[in-house]
Amino acid sequence: MGVSVSRGAVAAKAQARGVRLSWWKLLLLPLMLGSIAAGFLWAPRVGGLGDETYVMYFHVPMAWVGGLAYLVSAFYAIKYLARRRLADDTLSAASAELGLLFTFLATVTGALWARSKWGAYWNWDPKQTSIFLLMLTYGAYFMLRSAVPDPDRRATLSAVYALLAAVAVPFLMLIIPRFVVVSALHPSPVVDREVNRKIGMVLMGSNLAFTVLYVWMLQLRARLQSVAIRKESVL
């Protein structure tokens, strides 16, 4: 009797905590719809880009979330090395997986934009080249994970690799594309302050919306991986 009551109290507390923590998910739909509506109806089109301006409101947030996810992966890698908890390795791998997904989507949207403005999907622009190298880097991360069957050894090697790969993220996404001595095809920032202000506000809203989406997806992916790990341990 006492045990069942205790379990019921724990379950009720966990359910209440889940309700308190899930309220932010309700922000996702209005954030997404608001960002899309503002991008299409309020923010002006950039001169020289035309309708391709709208791609920017998806391309930039996806690239932002991709970089964020890689850094979060490194954060949980540090936590794993410090505490040796497989749950941290699960979150690190899940975040790296989402980083690779969003980076790929940023590459696809960028290629569609490039086809319209530059005449070809791929032009080896510095940003295109650097993001391609970044995807190769994290593709190798998952090859490493698949090649090591032991969970503890896999988690340790993956954590070290994630930390090393995270060092390359700001260089490949920000520093090299900006300072490399090659003629870049990406458009320069818009000069008009009013246009910059409106576009900046829409981009901040889009970045926030995609960040919330990433956090939600990270939770779901971590749960799925945890279930898969439990099944492996049982078998």
Side-chain angles (χ1 to χ4, degrees):
M1 179 74 176
V3 174
S4 62
V5 171
S6 177
R7 288 180 178 175
V10 171
K13 184 182 292 187
Q15 184 176 3
R17 182 173 179 269
V19 171
R20 288 198 300 270
L21 292 179
S22 62
W23 66 267
W24 55 269
K25 298 177 184 177
L26 299 176
L27 295 175
L28 182 57
L29 183 60
L31 276 174
M32 280 290 186
L33 293 179
S35 298
I36 293 173
F40 278 88
L41 302 177
W42 180 64
R45 293 184 297 179
V46 177
L49 297 183
D51 291 337
E52 285 78 10
T53 303
Y54 304 130
V55 178
M56 179 173 59
Y57 301 127
F58 299 93
H59 172 71
V60 173
M62 287 175 181
W64 150 255
V65 171
L68 174 66
Y70 293 140
L71 297 180
V72 171
S73 175
F75 169 75
Y76 281 107
I78 294 174
K79 292 187 69 174
Y80 171 78
L81 293 175
R83 305 190 302 180
R84 299 291 173 173
R85 291 179 51 186
L86 287 178
D88 293 323
D89 172 65
T90 298
L91 284 167
S92 179
S95 190
E97 186 176 12
L98 289 175
L100 192 57
L101 171 64
F102 278 100
T103 303
F104 172 76
L105 293 175
T107 304
V108 171
T109 53
L112 293 174
W113 185 91
R115 176 65 178 85
S116 175
K117 299 305 295 184
W118 303 338
Y121 291 109
W122 199 261
N123 301 270
W124 294 107
D125 175 80
K127 288 189 177 181
Q128 288 183 322
T129 305
S130 61
I131 204 169
F132 175 69
L133 293 175
L134 189 61
M135 287 192 293
L136 287 181
T137 300
Y138 279 90
Y141 168 84
F142 287 104
M143 291 179 64
L144 171 65
R145 290 187 65 86
S146 63
V148 182
D150 180 69
D152 293 321
R153 180 173 172 78
R154 177 176 62 214
T156 301
L157 292 175
S158 298
V160 173
Y161 188 101
L163 290 177
L164 295 175
V167 175
V169 171
F171 286 94
L172 291 175
M173 297 194 75
L174 299 174
I175 298 175
I176 294 178
R178 183 172 182 178
F179 295 105
V180 67
V181 187
V182 177
S183 178
L185 296 173
H186 269 71
S188 301
V190 183
V191 176
D192 186 86
R193 290 186 177 181
E194 182 66 18
V195 173
N196 270 338
R197 184 182 67 83
K198 290 184 177 181
I199 290 177
M201 292 177 66
V202 175
L203 283 177
M204 284 191 294
S206 297
N207 285 343
L208 179 60
F210 275 88
T211 301
V212 174
L213 176 63
Y214 154 72
V215 174
W216 193 356
M217 292 176 69
L218 178 62
Q219 290 183 345
L220 294 176
R221 190 69 187 112
R223 290 174 189 171
L224 290 174
Q225 288 191 4
S226 297
V227 171
I229 291 173
R230 285 197 295 269
K231 287 184 176 179
E232 287 181 3
S233 62
V234 171
L235 295 177

PDB file of all heavy atoms in Angstrom, residues 193-227:
ATOM      1  N   ARG A 193      19.700  51.036 -43.870  1.00  0.00           N
ATOM      2  CA  ARG A 193      19.514  50.696 -42.456  1.00  0.00           C
ATOM      3  C   ARG A 193      18.109  50.183 -42.172  1.00  0.00           C
ATOM      4  O   ARG A 193      17.907  49.279 -41.372  1.00  0.00           O
ATOM      5  CB  ARG A 193      19.806  51.924 -41.591  1.00  0.00           C
ATOM      6  CG  ARG A 193      21.283  52.309 -41.566  1.00  0.00           C
ATOM      7  CD  ARG A 193      21.519  53.436 -40.594  1.00  0.00           C
ATOM      8  NE  ARG A 193      22.935  53.780 -40.508  1.00  0.00           N
ATOM      9  CZ  ARG A 193      23.417  54.724 -39.706  1.00  0.00           C
ATOM     10  NH1 ARG A 193      22.587  55.445 -38.940  1.00  0.00           N
ATOM     11  NH2 ARG A 193      24.723  54.979 -39.689  1.00  0.00           N
ATOM     12  N   GLU A 194      17.110  50.780 -42.802  1.00  0.00           N
ATOM     13  CA  GLU A 194      15.726  50.356 -42.561  1.00  0.00           C
ATOM     14  C   GLU A 194      15.514  48.941 -43.058  1.00  0.00           C
ATOM     15  O   GLU A 194      14.865  48.124 -42.387  1.00  0.00           O
ATOM     16  CB  GLU A 194      14.756  51.315 -43.251  1.00  0.00           C
ATOM     17  CG  GLU A 194      13.276  50.982 -43.017  1.00  0.00           C
ATOM     18  CD  GLU A 194      12.860  51.153 -41.566  1.00  0.00           C
ATOM     19  OE1 GLU A 194      13.582  51.830 -40.805  1.00  0.00           O
ATOM     20  OE2 GLU A 194      11.813  50.608 -41.195  1.00  0.00           O
ATOM     21  N   VAL A 195      16.057  48.632 -44.233  1.00  0.00           N
ATOM     22  CA  VAL A 195      15.950  47.270 -44.761  1.00  0.00           C
ATOM     23  C   VAL A 195      16.689  46.293 -43.854  1.00  0.00           C
ATOM     24  O   VAL A 195      16.196  45.217 -43.524  1.00  0.00           O
ATOM     25  CB  VAL A 195      16.515  47.205 -46.199  1.00  0.00           C
ATOM     26  CG1 VAL A 195      16.570  45.764 -46.687  1.00  0.00           C
ATOM     27  CG2 VAL A 195      15.665  48.058 -47.139  1.00  0.00           C
ATOM     28  N   ASN A 196      17.891  46.678 -43.423  1.00  0.00           N
ATOM     29  CA  ASN A 196      18.657  45.828 -42.509  1.00  0.00           C
ATOM     30  C   ASN A 196      17.902  45.577 -41.219  1.00  0.00           C
ATOM     31  O   ASN A 196      17.936  44.481 -40.660  1.00  0.00           O
ATOM     32  CB  ASN A 196      20.004  46.476 -42.187  1.00  0.00           C
ATOM     33  CG  ASN A 196      21.085  46.047 -43.161  1.00  0.00           C
ATOM     34  OD1 ASN A 196      20.963  45.008 -43.795  1.00  0.00           O
ATOM     35  ND2 ASN A 196      22.131  46.843 -43.282  1.00  0.00           N
ATOM     36  N   ARG A 197      17.245  46.604 -40.693  1.00  0.00           N
ATOM     37  CA  ARG A 197      16.516  46.467 -39.430  1.00  0.00           C
ATOM     38  C   ARG A 197      15.378  45.464 -39.566  1.00  0.00           C
ATOM     39  O   ARG A 197      15.214  44.583 -38.720  1.00  0.00           O
ATOM     40  CB  ARG A 197      15.975  47.832 -38.978  1.00  0.00           C
ATOM     41  CG  ARG A 197      15.293  47.802 -37.618  1.00  0.00           C
ATOM     42  CD  ARG A 197      14.750  49.177 -37.272  1.00  0.00           C
ATOM     43  NE  ARG A 197      13.659  49.563 -38.148  1.00  0.00           N
ATOM     44  CZ  ARG A 197      12.375  49.184 -37.957  1.00  0.00           C
ATOM     45  NH1 ARG A 197      12.053  48.422 -36.937  1.00  0.00           N
ATOM     46  NH2 ARG A 197      11.441  49.598 -38.792  1.00  0.00           N
ATOM     47  N   LYS A 198      14.588  45.592 -40.601  1.00  0.00           N
ATOM     48  CA  LYS A 198      13.452  44.696 -40.776  1.00  0.00           C
ATOM     49  C   LYS A 198      13.912  43.257 -41.033  1.00  0.00           C
ATOM     50  O   LYS A 198      13.380  42.302 -40.455  1.00  0.00           O
ATOM     51  CB  LYS A 198      12.575  45.186 -41.934  1.00  0.00           C
ATOM     52  CG  LYS A 198      11.817  46.467 -41.634  1.00  0.00           C
ATOM     53  CD  LYS A 198      10.895  46.849 -42.781  1.00  0.00           C
ATOM     54  CE  LYS A 198      10.092  48.094 -42.445  1.00  0.00           C
ATOM     55  NZ  LYS A 198       9.166  48.472 -43.547  1.00  0.00           N
ATOM     56  N   ILE A 199      14.907  43.106 -41.905  1.00  0.00           N
ATOM     57  CA  ILE A 199      15.410  41.770 -42.200  1.00  0.00           C
ATOM     58  C   ILE A 199      16.047  41.156 -40.962  1.00  0.00           C
ATOM     59  O   ILE A 199      15.876  39.975 -40.672  1.00  0.00           O
ATOM     60  CB  ILE A 199      16.413  41.827 -43.367  1.00  0.00           C
ATOM     61  CG1 ILE A 199      15.678  42.142 -44.667  1.00  0.00           C
ATOM     62  CG2 ILE A 199      17.180  40.518 -43.507  1.00  0.00           C
ATOM     63  CD1 ILE A 199      16.576  42.283 -45.870  1.00  0.00           C
ATOM     64  N   GLY A 200      16.767  41.987 -40.201  1.00  0.00           N
ATOM     65  CA  GLY A 200      17.386  41.492 -38.976  1.00  0.00           C
ATOM     66  C   GLY A 200      16.356  41.011 -37.969  1.00  0.00           C
ATOM     67  O   GLY A 200      16.558  39.981 -37.304  1.00  0.00           O
ATOM     68  N   MET A 201      15.254  41.722 -37.843  1.00  0.00           N
ATOM     69  CA  MET A 201      14.206  41.313 -36.908  1.00  0.00           C
ATOM     70  C   MET A 201      13.576  39.992 -37.330  1.00  0.00           C
ATOM     71  O   MET A 201      13.317  39.115 -36.497  1.00  0.00           O
ATOM     72  CB  MET A 201      13.145  42.413 -36.806  1.00  0.00           C
ATOM     73  CG  MET A 201      13.631  43.682 -36.131  1.00  0.00           C
ATOM     74  SD  MET A 201      12.381  45.010 -36.098  1.00  0.00           S
ATOM     75  CE  MET A 201      11.147  44.271 -35.017  1.00  0.00           C
ATOM     76  N   VAL A 202      13.326  39.833 -38.643  1.00  0.00           N
ATOM     77  CA  VAL A 202      12.747  38.573 -39.126  1.00  0.00           C
ATOM     78  C   VAL A 202      13.735  37.425 -38.922  1.00  0.00           C
ATOM     79  O   VAL A 202      13.355  36.327 -38.512  1.00  0.00           O
ATOM     80  CB  VAL A 202      12.353  38.694 -40.610  1.00  0.00           C
ATOM     81  CG1 VAL A 202      11.862  37.353 -41.135  1.00  0.00           C
ATOM     82  CG2 VAL A 202      11.264  39.743 -40.779  1.00  0.00           C
ATOM     83  N   LEU A 203      15.007  37.678 -39.188  1.00  0.00           N
ATOM     84  CA  LEU A 203      16.010  36.633 -39.009  1.00  0.00           C
ATOM     85  C   LEU A 203      16.137  36.232 -37.545  1.00  0.00           C
ATOM     86  O   LEU A 203      16.294  35.039 -37.233  1.00  0.00           O
ATOM     87  CB  LEU A 203      17.360  37.106 -39.545  1.00  0.00           C
ATOM     88  CG  LEU A 203      17.526  37.080 -41.062  1.00  0.00           C
ATOM     89  CD1 LEU A 203      18.888  37.652 -41.452  1.00  0.00           C
ATOM     90  CD2 LEU A 203      17.390  35.658 -41.602  1.00  0.00           C
ATOM     91  N   MET A 204      16.062  37.182 -36.635  1.00  0.00           N
ATOM     92  CA  MET A 204      16.120  36.848 -35.208  1.00  0.00           C
ATOM     93  C   MET A 204      14.922  35.997 -34.796  1.00  0.00           C
ATOM     94  O   MET A 204      15.056  35.033 -34.046  1.00  0.00           O
ATOM     95  CB  MET A 204      16.192  38.129 -34.367  1.00  0.00           C
ATOM     96  CG  MET A 204      17.552  38.787 -34.367  1.00  0.00           C
ATOM     97  SD  MET A 204      17.710  40.098 -33.122  1.00  0.00           S
ATOM     98  CE  MET A 204      16.527  41.303 -33.755  1.00  0.00           C
ATOM     99  N   GLY A 205      13.741  36.352 -35.321  1.00  0.00           N
ATOM    100  CA  GLY A 205      12.562  35.541 -35.037  1.00  0.00           C
ATOM    101  C   GLY A 205      12.681  34.147 -35.616  1.00  0.00           C
ATOM    102  O   GLY A 205      12.317  33.160 -34.962  1.00  0.00           O
ATOM    103  N   SER A 206      13.201  34.047 -36.836  1.00  0.00           N
ATOM    104  CA  SER A 206      13.388  32.733 -37.455  1.00  0.00           C
ATOM    105  C   SER A 206      14.428  31.914 -36.707  1.00  0.00           C
ATOM    106  O   SER A 206      14.256  30.713 -36.501  1.00  0.00           O
ATOM    107  CB  SER A 206      13.808  32.901 -38.919  1.00  0.00           C
ATOM    108  OG  SER A 206      12.800  33.555 -39.670  1.00  0.00           O
ATOM    109  N   ASN A 207      15.512  32.562 -36.300  1.00  0.00           N
ATOM    110  CA  ASN A 207      16.535  31.854 -35.529  1.00  0.00           C
ATOM    111  C   ASN A 207      15.956  31.305 -34.225  1.00  0.00           C
ATOM    112  O   ASN A 207      16.254  30.170 -33.824  1.00  0.00           O
ATOM    113  CB  ASN A 207      17.706  32.789 -35.213  1.00  0.00           C
ATOM    114  CG  ASN A 207      18.584  33.037 -36.423  1.00  0.00           C
ATOM    115  OD1 ASN A 207      18.534  32.306 -37.408  1.00  0.00           O
ATOM    116  ND2 ASN A 207      19.391  34.082 -36.354  1.00  0.00           N
ATOM    117  N   LEU A 208      15.135  32.111 -33.560  1.00  0.00           N
ATOM    118  CA  LEU A 208      14.517  31.670 -32.309  1.00  0.00           C
ATOM    119  C   LEU A 208      13.578  30.491 -32.551  1.00  0.00           C
ATOM    120  O   LEU A 208      13.582  29.506 -31.807  1.00  0.00           O
ATOM    121  CB  LEU A 208      13.765  32.833 -31.659  1.00  0.00           C
ATOM    122  CG  LEU A 208      13.038  32.504 -30.345  1.00  0.00           C
ATOM    123  CD1 LEU A 208      14.017  32.007 -29.298  1.00  0.00           C
ATOM    124  CD2 LEU A 208      12.288  33.739 -29.843  1.00  0.00           C
ATOM    125  N   ALA A 209      12.768  30.588 -33.610  1.00  0.00           N
ATOM    126  CA  ALA A 209      11.817  29.517 -33.917  1.00  0.00           C
ATOM    127  C   ALA A 209      12.539  28.206 -34.221  1.00  0.00           C
ATOM    128  O   ALA A 209      12.171  27.139 -33.708  1.00  0.00           O
ATOM    129  CB  ALA A 209      10.936  29.928 -35.104  1.00  0.00           C
ATOM    130  N   PHE A 210      13.579  28.263 -35.034  1.00  0.00           N
ATOM    131  CA  PHE A 210      14.312  27.051 -35.366  1.00  0.00           C
ATOM    132  C   PHE A 210      15.107  26.523 -34.179  1.00  0.00           C
ATOM    133  O   PHE A 210      15.344  25.317 -34.072  1.00  0.00           O
ATOM    134  CB  PHE A 210      15.233  27.304 -36.562  1.00  0.00           C
ATOM    135  CG  PHE A 210      14.556  27.156 -37.892  1.00  0.00           C
ATOM    136  CD1 PHE A 210      13.913  28.231 -38.494  1.00  0.00           C
ATOM    137  CD2 PHE A 210      14.526  25.931 -38.540  1.00  0.00           C
ATOM    138  CE1 PHE A 210      13.277  28.093 -39.713  1.00  0.00           C
ATOM    139  CE2 PHE A 210      13.889  25.784 -39.759  1.00  0.00           C
ATOM    140  CZ  PHE A 210      13.257  26.867 -40.348  1.00  0.00           C
ATOM    141  N   THR A 211      15.507  27.411 -33.272  1.00  0.00           N
ATOM    142  CA  THR A 211      16.201  26.957 -32.064  1.00  0.00           C
ATOM    143  C   THR A 211      15.253  26.173 -31.165  1.00  0.00           C
ATOM    144  O   THR A 211      15.621  25.127 -30.609  1.00  0.00           O
ATOM    145  CB  THR A 211      16.789  28.150 -31.299  1.00  0.00           C
ATOM    146  OG1 THR A 211      17.706  28.857 -32.143  1.00  0.00           O
ATOM    147  CG2 THR A 211      17.527  27.689 -30.054  1.00  0.00           C
ATOM    148  N   VAL A 212      14.033  26.663 -31.011  1.00  0.00           N
ATOM    149  CA  VAL A 212      13.028  25.929 -30.230  1.00  0.00           C
ATOM    150  C   VAL A 212      12.738  24.577 -30.877  1.00  0.00           C
ATOM    151  O   VAL A 212      12.623  23.552 -30.191  1.00  0.00           O
ATOM    152  CB  VAL A 212      11.735  26.765 -30.104  1.00  0.00           C
ATOM    153  CG1 VAL A 212      10.638  25.953 -29.416  1.00  0.00           C
ATOM    154  CG2 VAL A 212      12.010  28.036 -29.315  1.00  0.00           C
ATOM    155  N   LEU A 213      12.631  24.570 -32.200  1.00  0.00           N
ATOM    156  CA  LEU A 213      12.414  23.313 -32.916  1.00  0.00           C
ATOM    157  C   LEU A 213      13.565  22.337 -32.654  1.00  0.00           C
ATOM    158  O   LEU A 213      13.349  21.139 -32.425  1.00  0.00           O
ATOM    159  CB  LEU A 213      12.284  23.585 -34.414  1.00  0.00           C
ATOM    160  CG  LEU A 213      12.141  22.357 -35.327  1.00  0.00           C
ATOM    161  CD1 LEU A 213      10.865  21.585 -35.015  1.00  0.00           C
ATOM    162  CD2 LEU A 213      12.172  22.782 -36.793  1.00  0.00           C
ATOM    163  N   TYR A 214      14.787  22.841 -32.670  1.00  0.00           N
ATOM    164  CA  TYR A 214      15.958  21.993 -32.414  1.00  0.00           C
ATOM    165  C   TYR A 214      15.926  21.394 -31.011  1.00  0.00           C
ATOM    166  O   TYR A 214      16.190  20.204 -30.831  1.00  0.00           O
ATOM    167  CB  TYR A 214      17.230  22.808 -32.618  1.00  0.00           C
ATOM    168  CG  TYR A 214      18.407  22.305 -31.833  1.00  0.00           C
ATOM    169  CD1 TYR A 214      19.051  21.121 -32.186  1.00  0.00           C
ATOM    170  CD2 TYR A 214      18.873  23.005 -30.716  1.00  0.00           C
ATOM    171  CE1 TYR A 214      20.125  20.650 -31.444  1.00  0.00           C
ATOM    172  CE2 TYR A 214      19.941  22.542 -29.982  1.00  0.00           C
ATOM    173  CZ  TYR A 214      20.563  21.367 -30.345  1.00  0.00           C
ATOM    174  OH  TYR A 214      21.615  20.893 -29.601  1.00  0.00           O
ATOM    175  N   VAL A 215      15.605  22.214 -30.014  1.00  0.00           N
ATOM    176  CA  VAL A 215      15.554  21.718 -28.635  1.00  0.00           C
ATOM    177  C   VAL A 215      14.521  20.612 -28.498  1.00  0.00           C
ATOM    178  O   VAL A 215      14.753  19.577 -27.852  1.00  0.00           O
ATOM    179  CB  VAL A 215      15.251  22.874 -27.658  1.00  0.00           C
ATOM    180  CG1 VAL A 215      15.038  22.342 -26.244  1.00  0.00           C
ATOM    181  CG2 VAL A 215      16.386  23.884 -27.662  1.00  0.00           C
ATOM    182  N   TRP A 216      13.373  20.799 -29.122  1.00  0.00           N
ATOM    183  CA  TRP A 216      12.318  19.786 -29.094  1.00  0.00           C
ATOM    184  C   TRP A 216      12.799  18.500 -29.769  1.00  0.00           C
ATOM    185  O   TRP A 216      12.641  17.401 -29.239  1.00  0.00           O
ATOM    186  CB  TRP A 216      11.074  20.332 -29.776  1.00  0.00           C
ATOM    187  CG  TRP A 216       9.833  19.514 -29.543  1.00  0.00           C
ATOM    188  CD1 TRP A 216       9.736  18.327 -28.860  1.00  0.00           C
ATOM    189  CD2 TRP A 216       8.510  19.833 -29.961  1.00  0.00           C
ATOM    190  NE1 TRP A 216       8.442  17.883 -28.828  1.00  0.00           N
ATOM    191  CE2 TRP A 216       7.668  18.790 -29.494  1.00  0.00           C
ATOM    192  CE3 TRP A 216       7.952  20.878 -30.683  1.00  0.00           C
ATOM    193  CZ2 TRP A 216       6.296  18.782 -29.747  1.00  0.00           C
ATOM    194  CZ3 TRP A 216       6.584  20.871 -30.915  1.00  0.00           C
ATOM    195  CH2 TRP A 216       5.772  19.831 -30.458  1.00  0.00           C
ATOM    196  N   MET A 217      13.373  18.641 -30.946  1.00  0.00           N
ATOM    197  CA  MET A 217      13.862  17.468 -31.676  1.00  0.00           C
ATOM    198  C   MET A 217      14.985  16.765 -30.912  1.00  0.00           C
ATOM    199  O   MET A 217      15.094  15.524 -30.936  1.00  0.00           O
ATOM    200  CB  MET A 217      14.349  17.888 -33.062  1.00  0.00           C
ATOM    201  CG  MET A 217      13.245  18.365 -33.995  1.00  0.00           C
ATOM    202  SD  MET A 217      13.873  18.965 -35.586  1.00  0.00           S
ATOM    203  CE  MET A 217      14.460  17.426 -36.315  1.00  0.00           C
ATOM    204  N   LEU A 218      15.816  17.532 -30.211  1.00  0.00           N
ATOM    205  CA  LEU A 218      16.899  16.936 -29.425  1.00  0.00           C
ATOM    206  C   LEU A 218      16.332  16.059 -28.316  1.00  0.00           C
ATOM    207  O   LEU A 218      16.826  14.948 -28.075  1.00  0.00           O
ATOM    208  CB  LEU A 218      17.781  18.035 -28.837  1.00  0.00           C
ATOM    209  CG  LEU A 218      18.931  17.568 -27.939  1.00  0.00           C
ATOM    210  CD1 LEU A 218      19.905  16.695 -28.715  1.00  0.00           C
ATOM    211  CD2 LEU A 218      19.653  18.764 -27.327  1.00  0.00           C
ATOM    212  N   GLN A 219      15.312  16.538 -27.652  1.00  0.00           N
ATOM    213  CA  GLN A 219      14.680  15.748 -26.598  1.00  0.00           C
ATOM    214  C   GLN A 219      14.094  14.453 -27.156  1.00  0.00           C
ATOM    215  O   GLN A 219      14.290  13.369 -26.589  1.00  0.00           O
ATOM    216  CB  GLN A 219      13.591  16.564 -25.906  1.00  0.00           C
ATOM    217  CG  GLN A 219      14.123  17.704 -25.059  1.00  0.00           C
ATOM    218  CD  GLN A 219      13.004  18.425 -24.330  1.00  0.00           C
ATOM    219  OE1 GLN A 219      11.822  18.278 -24.640  1.00  0.00           O
ATOM    220  NE2 GLN A 219      13.368  19.225 -23.343  1.00  0.00           N
ATOM    221  N   LEU A 220      13.384  14.576 -28.273  1.00  0.00           N
ATOM    222  CA  LEU A 220      12.770  13.389 -28.867  1.00  0.00           C
ATOM    223  C   LEU A 220      13.822  12.390 -29.329  1.00  0.00           C
ATOM    224  O   LEU A 220      13.699  11.180 -29.110  1.00  0.00           O
ATOM    225  CB  LEU A 220      11.886  13.800 -30.049  1.00  0.00           C
ATOM    226  CG  LEU A 220      10.645  14.640 -29.719  1.00  0.00           C
ATOM    227  CD1 LEU A 220       9.932  15.040 -30.998  1.00  0.00           C
ATOM    228  CD2 LEU A 220       9.699  13.866 -28.814  1.00  0.00           C
ATOM    229  N   ARG A 221      14.877  12.890 -29.970  1.00  0.00           N
ATOM    230  CA  ARG A 221      15.922  12.000 -30.481  1.00  0.00           C
ATOM    231  C   ARG A 221      16.676  11.324 -29.342  1.00  0.00           C
ATOM    232  O   ARG A 221      17.011  10.132 -29.434  1.00  0.00           O
ATOM    233  CB  ARG A 221      16.909  12.793 -31.343  1.00  0.00           C
ATOM    234  CG  ARG A 221      17.874  11.903 -32.103  1.00  0.00           C
ATOM    235  CD  ARG A 221      17.140  11.123 -33.178  1.00  0.00           C
ATOM    236  NE  ARG A 221      18.013  10.151 -33.812  1.00  0.00           N
ATOM    237  CZ  ARG A 221      17.889   8.845 -33.700  1.00  0.00           C
ATOM    238  NH1 ARG A 221      16.919   8.334 -32.959  1.00  0.00           N
ATOM    239  NH2 ARG A 221      18.705   8.035 -34.334  1.00  0.00           N
ATOM    240  N   ALA A 222      16.922  12.046 -28.264  1.00  0.00           N
ATOM    241  CA  ALA A 222      17.611  11.460 -27.112  1.00  0.00           C
ATOM    242  C   ALA A 222      16.767  10.354 -26.485  1.00  0.00           C
ATOM    243  O   ALA A 222      17.296   9.307 -26.079  1.00  0.00           O
ATOM    244  CB  ALA A 222      17.927  12.539 -26.088  1.00  0.00           C
ATOM    245  N   ARG A 223      15.460  10.554 -26.417  1.00  0.00           N
ATOM    246  CA  ARG A 223      14.588   9.512 -25.873  1.00  0.00           C
ATOM    247  C   ARG A 223      14.608   8.265 -26.739  1.00  0.00           C
ATOM    248  O   ARG A 223      14.666   7.137 -26.242  1.00  0.00           O
ATOM    249  CB  ARG A 223      13.158  10.042 -25.759  1.00  0.00           C
ATOM    250  CG  ARG A 223      12.967  11.101 -24.681  1.00  0.00           C
ATOM    251  CD  ARG A 223      11.567  11.677 -24.733  1.00  0.00           C
ATOM    252  NE  ARG A 223      11.424  12.821 -23.853  1.00  0.00           N
ATOM    253  CZ  ARG A 223      10.348  13.619 -23.843  1.00  0.00           C
ATOM    254  NH1 ARG A 223       9.343  13.365 -24.661  1.00  0.00           N
ATOM    255  NH2 ARG A 223      10.294  14.641 -23.014  1.00  0.00           N
ATOM    256  N   LEU A 224      14.560   8.460 -28.052  1.00  0.00           N
ATOM    257  CA  LEU A 224      14.597   7.313 -28.965  1.00  0.00           C
ATOM    258  C   LEU A 224      15.904   6.545 -28.829  1.00  0.00           C
ATOM    259  O   LEU A 224      15.924   5.303 -28.820  1.00  0.00           O
ATOM    260  CB  LEU A 224      14.396   7.776 -30.406  1.00  0.00           C
ATOM    261  CG  LEU A 224      13.005   8.280 -30.778  1.00  0.00           C
ATOM    262  CD1 LEU A 224      13.002   8.834 -32.202  1.00  0.00           C
ATOM    263  CD2 LEU A 224      11.979   7.147 -30.667  1.00  0.00           C
ATOM    264  N   GLN A 225      17.011   7.269 -28.733  1.00  0.00           N
ATOM    265  CA  GLN A 225      18.305   6.608 -28.585  1.00  0.00           C
ATOM    266  C   GLN A 225      18.405   5.872 -27.251  1.00  0.00           C
ATOM    267  O   GLN A 225      18.992   4.794 -27.174  1.00  0.00           O
ATOM    268  CB  GLN A 225      19.440   7.622 -28.728  1.00  0.00           C
ATOM    269  CG  GLN A 225      19.638   8.126 -30.149  1.00  0.00           C
ATOM    270  CD  GLN A 225      20.912   8.922 -30.309  1.00  0.00           C
ATOM    271  OE1 GLN A 225      21.694   9.039 -29.388  1.00  0.00           O
ATOM    272  NE2 GLN A 225      21.117   9.484 -31.492  1.00  0.00           N
ATOM    273  N   SER A 226      17.830   6.453 -26.206  1.00  0.00           N
ATOM    274  CA  SER A 226      17.849   5.796 -24.905  1.00  0.00           C
ATOM    275  C   SER A 226      17.069   4.489 -24.944  1.00  0.00           C
ATOM    276  O   SER A 226      17.497   3.467 -24.375  1.00  0.00           O
ATOM    277  CB  SER A 226      17.260   6.722 -23.838  1.00  0.00           C
ATOM    278  OG  SER A 226      18.041   7.896 -23.700  1.00  0.00           O
ATOM    279  N   VAL A 227      15.930   4.492 -25.620  1.00  0.00           N
ATOM    280  CA  VAL A 227      15.140   3.269 -25.763  1.00  0.00           C
ATOM    281  C   VAL A 227      15.913   2.217 -26.544  1.00  0.00           C
ATOM    282  O   VAL A 227      15.948   1.036 -26.177  1.00  0.00           O
ATOM    283  CB  VAL A 227      13.791   3.573 -26.462  1.00  0.00           C
ATOM    284  CG1 VAL A 227      13.064   2.284 -26.806  1.00  0.00           C
ATOM    285  CG2 VAL A 227      12.929   4.444 -25.568  1.00  0.00           C
TER     286      VAL A 227
END
